[in-house]
Amino acid sequence: MKFSNHIFTFLCCASVLLTACEDGTGRVVYPYSCPEMSEVDLSSTEYVMANDTLYFSVDIKDEQTPLSTLEVSLTSGEESIFTESIRTKGMSASIQNHGIFIPFTAGLEDNKEARLTLTAINVEGSEVSRNFDLKIRRPELPETMYLHIEEQVIPMKRQADNPYLYATETGSYITQFTGKVSTSESLEDSELIWGYSETANYAELSSVTGVGFTFDYQGWEIEQITFDVMTFKVGAIGEYQVFTIDGVELEASAGYYRAAIQFTQGAEVEVTGFEDLANAYNRDFFEYNAETGKLSFLRESGKWEVYYSSKYNYMWVMRLDDEAPVAYWLVGHGFTSAPVWNDDYNTGGWDTEDVSRLGYVVKIADNTYQTTLYLSNTHEWESFEIEIYSDRLWNKTLGMELKEGSITGDATGFAVSMSNGFTNTADFVPGYYRLTFDTSGGVGNEKMNVERLSD
């Protein structure tokens, strides 16, 4: 029995030596071998379509060393298009009809050369690779694409002088919207849909339920909307108007043209690009000379923030971080600083972020402040109501508190509100008003003088 046991032990050790041994860490070390690949099959060996899937099958084996992974990569030059690591176990693995999605991205040229590499690796790191050279083809696009703006569907025709450019018919188009472009009139029937991109005026491939791209061409008079299927840029054809104040160009951003501009009190201000400057300028900061068509700056010299809206044709001037007693803030509903009423102000309000919904009360002398507003009781709540804050954080610590008898001047139709701001009575007549505040009496003893300027 002892002899038989010795023979059995010897045979077991010999078997282990033939297949594997352990290193100093206790890890099993296998003898050198290399995986083998066979039965390699691709769904296409010459061309592959973008926005489609390439399928491959492969059998892998290694008779001496267990397999580890199959590394899959699709590259074009130094660009990596696709990578994946597929776990393989045991001495053999069969991978059948495994898909590689080929993205359709901006800048993809037709017949782009690419290389598919399959690399089988065993647990010792030995590997074998197979390379397959392919060409990526762009999807075939129709002669007509479709622009979707809410419920509106607008055809876009391929341009004869640029096969990658599509354009709407000549007309008049809005300057801001969220939309999609598709290959069929119905989004549900479209093979390709372009939608949201992190960059405004660009699109990326999306889905029926995906978010649309942002189209923002403020200041343009748009005659056509375009879409470039090479760059995925959504463009505009028309005229672009540049707005400058004292040589500083206002930049379009978040619905406004904005800039921080250094003004000098009493100095003439050069302005370009405004077709109706007589209605656009801020009465609390500028004086307008109708004969010369120029402005003069009235307030304290320094850097001021200018926000111009082409939609409302008005420029707001303020410093958003100002707090009382440097300046005061009016928040509420039923008003705008612009001299011309817009129906947008008939709904909503009570916003401390949107400058078009705020009133900035600027200091014009010691203890004297001014703001000019269009006030209307045509708001959905059948009134205007405004409170006076010391900052844009809803604080009233240094704000104003009006009381009965605080309102003077053209005060017919004005009343102190329940929150010590001001509102209207039944005999109020909408119009453009200049409000001047006297704070010399301290909080709770302020006066508000009303001057009606126009209807």
Side-chain angles (χ1 to χ4, degrees), residues 323-335:
E323 299 179 4
V326 175
Y328 293 87
W329 297 93
L330 303 186
V331 183
H333 68 269
F335 75 96

Side-chain angles (χ1 to χ4, degrees), residues 60-91:
I60 310 168
K61 69 176 182 178
D62 191 324
E63 295 180 351
Q64 300 187 57
T65 305
L67 300 171
S68 172
T69 58
L70 175 68
E71 301 296 331
V72 183
S73 68
L74 182 66
T75 59
S76 179
E78 296 183 355
E79 176 190 358
S80 175
I81 299 173
F82 177 91
T83 60
E84 185 180 9
S85 182
I86 303 172
R87 185 76 173 91
T88 53
K89 296 181 180 180
M91 301 297 186

Side-chain angles (χ1 to χ4, degrees), residues 132-323:
F132 304 90
D133 291 327
L134 303 162
K135 290 185 178 180
I136 301 176
R137 304 193 70 169
R138 291 174 58 86
E140 294 185 7
L141 300 176
E143 289 295 314
T144 301
M145 304 267 271
Y146 296 90
L147 172 64
H148 300 258
I149 306 174
E150 295 182 351
E151 301 301 319
Q152 189 177 14
V153 182
I154 306 170
M156 307 183 82
K157 299 290 186 181
R158 191 198 304 271
Q159 301 301 286
D161 58 345
N162 183 349
Y164 297 116
L165 189 67
Y166 289 75
T168 62
E169 291 186 354
T170 301
S172 178
Y173 297 91
I174 59 176
T175 61
Q176 291 177 292
F177 61 82
T178 299
K180 295 180 180 179
V181 171
S182 65
T183 52
S184 294
E185 187 172 0
S186 166
L187 289 173
E188 288 75 11
D189 296 335
S190 296
E191 293 185 7
L192 297 173
I193 299 171
W194 285 266
Y196 176 75
S197 169
E198 292 185 356
T199 304
N201 301 326
Y202 279 86
E204 294 180 9
L205 282 176
S206 183
S207 64
V208 173
T209 59
V211 178
F213 56 76
T214 298
F215 181 89
D216 187 353
Y217 282 87
Q218 298 176 77
W220 285 70
E221 292 185 5
I222 300 176
E223 298 177 357
Q224 289 178 284
I225 297 173
T226 64
F227 182 58
D228 190 319
V229 295
M230 174 58 75
T231 63
F232 295 177
K233 179 176 176 61
V234 189
I237 297 174
E239 294 184 1
Y240 174 63
Q241 196 167 17
V242 177
F243 302 100
T244 69
I245 298 177
D246 268 358
V248 179
E249 182 176 342
L250 279 61
E251 296 183 359
S253 176
Y256 296 94
Y257 290 88
R258 307 193 297 181
I261 302 174
Q262 182 74 30
F263 290 108
T264 301
Q265 189 175 43
E268 192 174 80
V269 179
E270 289 289 338
V271 177
T272 65
F274 296 85
E275 294 183 359
D276 186 14
L277 183 60
N279 282 313
Y281 79 96
N282 188 308
R283 274 70 172 165
D284 300 315
F285 283 84
F286 301 100
E287 184 177 65
Y288 176 68
N289 188 322
E291 293 183 2
T292 63
K294 293 186 177 181
L295 301 175
S296 296
F297 192 71
L298 299 174
R299 301 299 160 223
E300 176 185 277
S301 298
K303 185 165 285 188
W304 293 85
E305 300 163 29
V306 177
Y307 297 78
Y308 173 71
S309 167
S310 56
K311 178 179 182 180
Y312 302 121
N313 187 40
Y314 186 74
M315 61 175 77
W316 286 261
V317 183
M318 60 187 65
R319 287 189 289 241
L320 290 175
D321 293 331
D322 278 355
E323 299 179 4

Side-chain angles (χ1 to χ4, degrees), residues 11-84:
L11 291 175
C12 287
C13 290
S15 175
V16 170
L17 288 172
L18 288 173
T19 57
C21 61
E22 294 184 354
D23 62 13
T25 65
R27 185 183 74 85
V28 175
V29 179
Y30 294 91
Y32 174 80
S33 63
C34 193
E36 298 178 5
M37 287 192 287
S38 62
E39 303 299 325
V40 182
D41 181 56
L42 271 64
S43 58
S44 176
T45 58
E46 186 175 1
Y47 294 102
V48 60
M49 295 296 296
N51 203 55
D52 203 349
T53 302
L54 172 68
Y55 295 93
F56 72 87
S57 300
V58 60
D59 290 339
I60 310 168
K61 69 176 182 178
D62 191 324
E63 295 180 351
Q64 300 187 57
T65 305
L67 300 171
S68 172
T69 58
L70 175 68
E71 301 296 331
V72 183
S73 68
L74 182 66
T75 59
S76 179
E78 296 183 355
E79 176 190 358
S80 175
I81 299 173
F82 177 91
T83 60
E84 185 180 9

Side-chain angles (χ1 to χ4, degrees), residues 87-98:
R87 185 76 173 91
T88 53
K89 296 181 180 180
M91 301 297 186
S92 64
S94 181
I95 299 170
Q96 299 296 315
N97 294 318
H98 190 82

